[in-house]
Amino acid sequence: MSVKPSVPRTLAQVTLRVVSAIMAIIGGLMVVGAILVFLYRHQLGFPEDSMWTIFAYGGIILASAALLLLTACLGLRAADDSSKVGPYRALCYFVGLAILVAIVWGWGMGMFILFNPVVLVSTVTYVLVCSQLADKVADEHERGVVGETFLRTGRQRTLHLLSEVMIVKGAIVGLMAAVMALAFYSMGDISLAASLGVSVADLERDLIENAVAAALHLGVGALGIWGSNRPEKIMPFFVLSTGALALDVARIVSGVAASGALLATGTDTLLDLVYTGSCAWLAWKVWRQPRELVDKGLIVRQ
């Protein structure tokens, strides 16, 4: 059983790591979207003589994706080593300045573009989130603040990764819920529901469910990270992951009983079963782990 020290990260660096991971995922999805624009232009309704429009549209998507991926790479590097936060901080301030110039230019042209969805999301992301995180990490580096180092086994490292995935998923779901809520109040509930082809009640229920799901993922993921760093604190995560596993099993059993086919329950349900089962098993093994490490002389009994 190998025991390795973790990368020391402060809370700001941990947050920066999660934000950068989300930006990397979104950037990758945008690259896929640009490729689909080029490959399936006819299905998307672009005429034969609109190649310039296609390349311009796809090029804008690729440029945005490249910016997100660059920001994510620099952010992940700064999350591992606070001394390398300078390029990330400079990029965030540069993008923030570009957004400000675009807003001022819009005012000069008689357009109020601050609440344009793209401008608004970019402003919140780079000005209010990324720049603030960059300043915090840089300030901690100047003051010599260093995060705590933990000794983790392979099981702990795996559980830590799964917990980070859970937090990233929760953050993405929460971001989607926030964007939908913003559109809900800016466009009006009836207009937004009509554009999505659903009723207002269904839209409100989906918003509430997404918000609750995001909060649960963030909370349980945080408990998983806490427990993966401190095996003696893993029990709350084990209880929650075991409960989620029981719910997934119940959903699959009821689905099979109703349809008579395992795949009828849905691939997402089966993947959730594997994920929650892995988390519960790892949490159990991590909980039993300290006594094994003591017996093998890898750690000293406290």
Side-chain angles (χ1 to χ4, degrees):
M1 187 180 297
S2 62
V3 180
K4 298 180 180 178
S6 65
V7 176
R9 298 187 184 96
T10 64
L11 180 59
Q13 287 177 281
V14 172
T15 306
L16 177 58
R17 178 179 169 85
V18 173
V19 171
S20 300
I22 294 173
M23 298 183 81
I25 293 173
I26 297 176
L29 292 176
M30 291 181 69
V31 171
V32 174
I35 294 174
L36 293 178
V37 169
F38 290 121
L39 295 180
Y40 298 100
R41 56 183 180 275
H42 302 300
Q43 290 84 341
L44 293 174
F46 290 105
E48 291 288 344
D49 57 350
S50 62
M51 288 303 297
W52 173 252
T53 302
I54 295 171
F55 279 104
Y57 185 59
I60 291 174
I61 298 177
L62 280 178
S64 302
L67 176 61
L68 287 175
L69 292 174
L70 176 61
T71 306
C73 291
L74 294 177
L76 290 172
R77 190 176 70 159
D80 290 340
D81 186 352
S82 60
S83 65
K84 299 179 179 178
V85 73
Y88 176 80
R89 190 183 191 189
L91 177 63
C92 293
Y93 274 101
F94 173 77
V95 175
L97 179 61
I99 294 172
L100 178 60
V101 170
I103 293 174
V104 173
W105 174 83
W107 286 342
M109 298 294 292
M111 298 180 294
F112 189 70
I113 64 173
L114 179 60
F115 292 108
N116 178 280
V118 176
V119 176
L120 183 59
V121 171
S122 301
T123 302
V124 172
T125 301
Y126 281 95
V127 178
L128 299 181
V129 177
C130 295
S131 297
Q132 295 299 317
L133 282 174
D135 289 342
K136 181 65 175 177
V137 173
D139 177 66
E140 289 177 343
H141 177 71
E142 292 175 357
R143 292 189 290 111
V145 178
V146 180
E148 189 175 356
T149 300
F150 300 97
L151 293 176
R152 299 196 196 113
T153 63
R155 295 165 184 166
Q156 288 173 266
R157 292 192 295 271
T158 304
L159 182 58
H160 194 276
L161 176 61
L162 292 179
S163 300
E164 286 184 330
V165 171
M166 192 179 299
I167 289 179
V168 169
K169 181 180 179 181
I172 292 177
V173 173
L175 178 62
M176 294 174 59
V179 172
M180 290 295 294
L182 178 63
F184 185 87
Y185 290 108
S186 61
M187 294 177 57
D189 51 3
I190 298 178
S191 299
L192 180 60
S195 64
L196 297 176
V198 297
S199 65
V200 175
D202 290 339
L203 181 60
E204 291 178 341
R205 186 184 67 251
D206 289 341
L207 286 175
I208 295 175
E209 289 178 352
N210 286 336
V212 173
L216 287 175
H217 278 87
L218 292 173
V220 176
L223 287 176
I225 289 180
W226 178 264
S228 68
N229 291 334
R230 304 168 178 83
E232 70 278 5
K233 306 291 186 180
I234 195 63
M235 189 51 65
F237 178 80
F238 173 69
V239 172
L240 291 176
S241 58
T242 303
L245 176 62
L247 290 176
D248 288 338
V249 172
R251 288 166 58 190
I252 291 178
V253 170
S254 61
V256 171
S259 62
L262 180 62
L263 293 179
T265 58
T267 306
D268 56 339
T269 303
L270 295 176
L271 291 176
D272 284 342
L273 178 66
V274 174
Y275 187 85
T276 54
S278 300
C279 289
W281 180 80
L282 284 170
W284 170 254
K285 298 299 289 185
V286 169
W287 180 72
R288 291 176 55 87
Q289 181 176 280
R291 69 196 72 177
E292 298 176 12
L293 295 177
V294 171
D295 293 339
K296 294 182 179 182
L298 295 177
I299 63 174
V300 179
R301 186 180 299 276
Q302 301 296 322

